[in-house]
Amino acid sequence: VNLRALTSWVGIARLFAVVLACLTFSLVASTANFDGPSGTWCMFTWCFCFIVTLLVLLLELFELYPVLPLSWDDFTSAFSMLAALMVFTSSVVFPAAFISSPCSSNLCARQAVATTASCLCFLAYAVEVGLTRAKPGDISSFLSTVPGLLKVFEAYVACLIFSLLDKYNKESGLMWCVAVYSICFIFTLLIIIFTIGRCLTYIPCPLDKMLVGYNFLALLMYITATVIWPLYSFRGQSRPDPCGRNCSWDKHLGVTFLTIFNLIAYLVDLVYSSRMVFV
């Protein structure tokens, strides 16, 4: 038994994440008010993060992870980053979708406490990401480096973009943007999967230079999407009044901002990857 898995700073952060995720989904379940896509997504996020983090703790506690056919450090780094992003999204989406003002009922109080616990859970995962991030010059675990963590961020933002896509198949410009999101997502996801599965060594070309080239191409593609998407989405259109929860105009605006976020992520990724290779 490896008690350090529970007593180290990383282990303590994971314990806090497990307890807070359990508290969050228990409170939300007690309200029986989590219907619809937003509620289902939030409940899935808290349950998924609770189960996987608990499994990680048990595998490290009993030192069973070496028998798994994967890079454990890459897996835990990628998961902690993914969990931080998922819980952060749920911490924003849940109160926006289910808490109404004024908040005075017992139901609303439980929802408010659940939101607070979710925010604290996000902080626990963020601390874990900070504690496990590779030090400058250490590339033994790629997904714990800044470029590796950015790969997880880029893939997650692309998933958010896909969830907001609406009415794009009538414009060639918008279809190009969707192709950009899809191509970059697939290649980024493959890099993450191959890294965790220890398959990158089988690629018959210099991996570091290949990643720099991919980041450069992805950056160029996202630059075109950043220009074309709002140009075609809002051309001759103003925000309708009223614009409800499923308003296409708001969804297109959300895709615009997420595209800019991923553009910045790929730019930073290119800078860090180039420094790691050439400097």
Side-chain angles (χ1 to χ4, degrees), residues 102-263:
C103 184
S104 57
S105 64
N106 179 264
L107 173 67
C108 186
R110 279 181 286 173
Q111 291 173 329
V113 174
T115 301
T116 303
S118 182
C119 293
L120 293 175
C121 186
F122 158 70
L123 290 177
Y125 281 117
V127 169
E128 182 184 349
V129 171
L131 291 172
T132 57
R133 186 172 71 85
K135 304 299 184 292
D138 180 12
I139 56 174
S140 58
S141 171
F142 171 70
L143 293 181
S144 64
T145 63
V146 173
L149 295 173
L150 285 172
K151 288 287 183 290
V152 180
F153 177 84
E154 291 154 5
Y156 182 75
V157 171
C159 290
L160 294 181
I161 290 175
F162 294 144
S163 70
L164 294 176
L165 289 178
D166 186 25
K167 298 179 180 179
Y168 62 86
N169 54 356
K170 294 182 180 179
E171 294 280 0
S172 58
L174 298 183
M175 293 176 68
W176 160 254
C177 294
V178 174
V180 169
Y181 306 143
S182 302
I183 293 171
C184 293
F185 169 74
I186 291 171
F187 277 95
T188 302
L189 185 62
L190 286 176
I191 291 171
I192 295 171
I193 293 174
F194 284 178
T195 302
I196 294 175
R198 297 174 178 171
C199 300
L200 291 177
T201 54
Y202 298 108
I203 298 177
C205 59
L207 178 63
D208 49 1
K209 293 181 174 61
M210 185 195 73
L211 290 177
V212 172
Y214 163 68
N215 289 332
F216 180 71
L217 290 176
L219 178 64
L220 292 179
M221 294 173 70
Y222 259 90
I223 289 174
T224 64
T226 303
V227 175
I228 293 174
W229 180 267
L231 182 65
Y232 278 82
S233 295
F234 305 114
R235 184 175 53 185
Q237 297 183 25
S238 58
R239 190 174 188 271
D241 187 19
C243 190
R245 183 169 293 177
N246 293 318
C247 179
S248 296
W249 197 94
D250 283 352
K251 289 182 179 180
H252 287 170
L253 182 64
V255 172
T256 300
F257 279 106
L258 291 173
T259 302
I260 295 172
F261 292 158
N262 245 3
L263 172 66

Side-chain angles (χ1 to χ4, degrees), residues 10-22 53 57 117 120-121 124-125:
V10 174
I12 293 172
R14 289 172 179 162
L15 283 173
F16 270 105
V18 166
V19 172
L20 291 167
C22 181
T53 306
L57 282 172
L120 293 175
C121 186
Y125 281 117

